[in-house]
Amino acid sequence: MTVHRTIAVATAAPYDVTVGENLLPEVVGAVPETATRVLVVTAAPLRRHVDNLKALLDARGFTVVIAEVPDAEEGKTAEVLAFCWQVLGKSDFTRSDVVIGFGGGAVTDLAGFVAATWLRGVGVIQVPTTLLAMVDAAVGGKTGINTAEGKNLVGAFHEPLAVFCDVRALDTLPHNELVPGLAEVVKCGFIRDQEILTLVEANLDGLRDAELDVVRPVLVELISRAIQVKADVVAADLKESFLREILNYGHTFAHAIEYTERYQWRHGAAVSVGMVFAAELAHLAGRLSEDGVERHRAILSGLGLPISYPGHRWDALLTAMKRDKKTRGDLLRFVILAGIGNPIRLEGPDPALVQGAYSAVSA
């Protein structure tokens, strides 16, 4: 049996992230007694699990409303957000009531934004069911939706009451959803906790092949360490000055890929390429050794993640990168590494370096 881990996120509104198994009773226990109604935002593939949660909430006397939204990025739209507001309004939700986000990263992003905007803020509990959501989307209080102009350009900071990462939810994930989530885990190793990289390198085959019965203890350790990295960062910097920006390592190029590909690429796959791009940029800028670049390529490719992107989309990618949240005016800003575990900001790099990094990942 997996041991429960609790990671404290010591922000101004502190909360705990629990990693373990069979956590639905603890989810119900986290709903404040002052609440009367609970909105569960979820996607259709998870309905059986949500019905189990609903039964437990019903037994506690809560009025439970379920908002079933489109899966993945298709659910992060203004239209879906308006649908959730409509459900809340028709159900007479008040400030003492609670939203639960039960699903992948898109669902937790959406549910958090629903909670942040209803009556200027109601409580939200996040129950991420994918690896990506556990180590990234559900922790840290960033919520939002996509627009035609880009990803996560509309959103709010809204910290959850609690987060519950039930590792048994990963057993039912398709391979092509589980493995891309490892990119965000590896990211935490590159920017801060190098033990993550060591653990991944020692277990590449089992992680790549998603042999959960074999690597489950390692996976719990990796999830907990990645969450701890994020918890430490957001506790020191909730609203994205440079410290929080280090969590976006690889994301400037990754978000450009996602936008250019109309969100048909999985986020973790795009982040994998984005980290290699950032590593190549750091190397060209004289900040990261060739060994550091090769370690990126070896770990990510060893997990079966992509490390290249077609070489005919540069203009579209550059336009998309200029919409990145880190950009100031027309000045591109990147998070790069001055050595493994030492993230720094690179502002307004020579365009030739940026295009050179792109050439390195498009070869």
Side-chain angles (χ1 to χ4, degrees):
M1 180 175 179
T2 300
V3 176
H4 284 20
R5 306 281 185 88
T6 300
I7 299 101
V9 186
T11 53
Y15 57 95
D16 288 340
V17 181
T18 303
V19 182
E21 297 180 9
N22 304 315
L23 298 180
L24 286 187
E26 296 188 39
V27 175
V28 175
V31 178
E33 293 183 359
T34 53
T36 301
R37 301 166 188 83
V38 177
L39 172 71
V40 182
V41 180
T42 191
L46 295 163
R47 189 57 190 255
R48 177 174 62 84
H49 302 287
V50 170
D51 286 343
N52 293 336
L53 175 61
K54 182 179 183 301
L56 293 173
L57 289 165
D58 287 340
R60 279 276 307 276
F62 295 111
T63 299
V64 183
V65 181
I66 297 174
E68 193 171 287
V69 301
D71 203 9
E73 298 295 326
E74 292 180 3
K76 288 177 58 175
T77 67
E79 292 76 16
V80 176
L81 178 66
F83 161 72
C84 293
W85 286 336
Q86 183 180 50
V87 172
L88 288 168
K90 289 185 175 181
S91 303
D92 298 321
F93 263 62
T94 69
R95 278 202 175 96
S96 62
D97 296 324
V98 172
V99 175
I100 295 177
F102 197 110
V107 166
T108 58
D109 278 353
L110 173 69
F113 195 38
V114 169
T117 50
W118 186 253
L119 298 177
R120 298 186 178 88
V122 299
V124 61
I125 296 168
Q126 300 286 21
V127 187
T129 60
T130 66
L131 180 56
L132 178 63
M134 290 178 186
V135 301
D136 184 39
V139 180
K142 285 174 73 173
T143 72
I145 59 170
N146 304 330
T147 68
E149 289 69 38
K151 184 171 180 176
N152 295 331
L153 294 180
V154 178
F157 290 96
H158 190 63
E159 295 179 84
L161 300 175
V163 179
F164 296 93
C165 303
D166 194 323
V167 295
R168 283 292 174 183
L170 303 179
D171 289 352
T172 59
L173 274 187
H175 181 271
N176 65 351
E177 288 190 25
L178 179 66
V179 172
L182 290 167
E184 290 284 358
V185 175
V186 170
K187 175 202 75 179
C188 292
F190 280 128
I191 63 173
R192 180 160 288 201
D193 182 359
Q194 295 185 54
E195 180 62 22
I196 288 174
L197 303 181
T198 301
L199 284 169
V200 170
E201 288 167 327
N203 295 275
L204 276 176
D205 291 346
L207 291 169
R208 180 190 61 237
D209 298 334
E211 297 173 349
L212 294 187
D213 288 340
V214 176
V215 299
R216 194 184 309 280
V218 174
L219 199 54
V220 170
E221 181 71 13
L222 289 170
I223 291 169
S224 301
R225 282 183 171 274
I227 291 171
Q228 187 67 64
V229 168
K230 188 161 191 178
D232 291 344
V233 170
V234 301
D237 175 19
L238 177 64
K239 295 194 175 181
E240 213 163 50
S241 64
F242 175 65
L243 180 57
R244 177 138 189 177
E245 284 183 352
I246 72 173
L247 296 172
N248 283 327
Y249 180 59
H251 283 56
T252 301
F253 194 73
H255 285 165
I257 290 174
E258 290 178 284
Y259 178 76
T260 301
E261 295 291 338
R262 300 180 183 273
Y263 304 109
Q264 296 306 300
W265 268 54
R266 295 197 177 277
H267 178 68
V271 168
S272 178
V273 179
M275 285 190 286
V276 176
F277 171 87
E280 294 284 2
L281 181 59
H283 179 57
L284 291 172
R287 306 311 298 265
L288 184 65
S289 69
E290 186 173 343
D291 286 347
V293 177
E294 287 308 310
R295 195 175 189 193
H296 280 71
R297 290 180 173 274
I299 291 174
L300 295 167
S301 63
L303 289 170
L305 290 166
I307 57 173
S308 63
Y309 185 74
H312 58 281
R313 309 300 295 274
W314 175 239
D315 289 342
L317 291 166
L318 184 59
T319 298
M321 284 194 289
K322 288 179 178 178
R323 296 193 180 104
D324 184 78
K325 296 188 294 296
K326 294 183 293 302
T327 298
R328 300 294 183 267
D330 290 328
L331 187 71
L332 285 174
R333 298 157 82 239
F334 295 91
V335 177
I336 64 170
L337 299 181
I340 304 298
N342 184 21
I344 62 172
R345 179 190 290 149
L346 181 64
E347 293 191 354
D350 185 328
L353 296 184
V354 181
Q355 188 153 8
Y358 174 61
S359 295
V361 299
S362 62

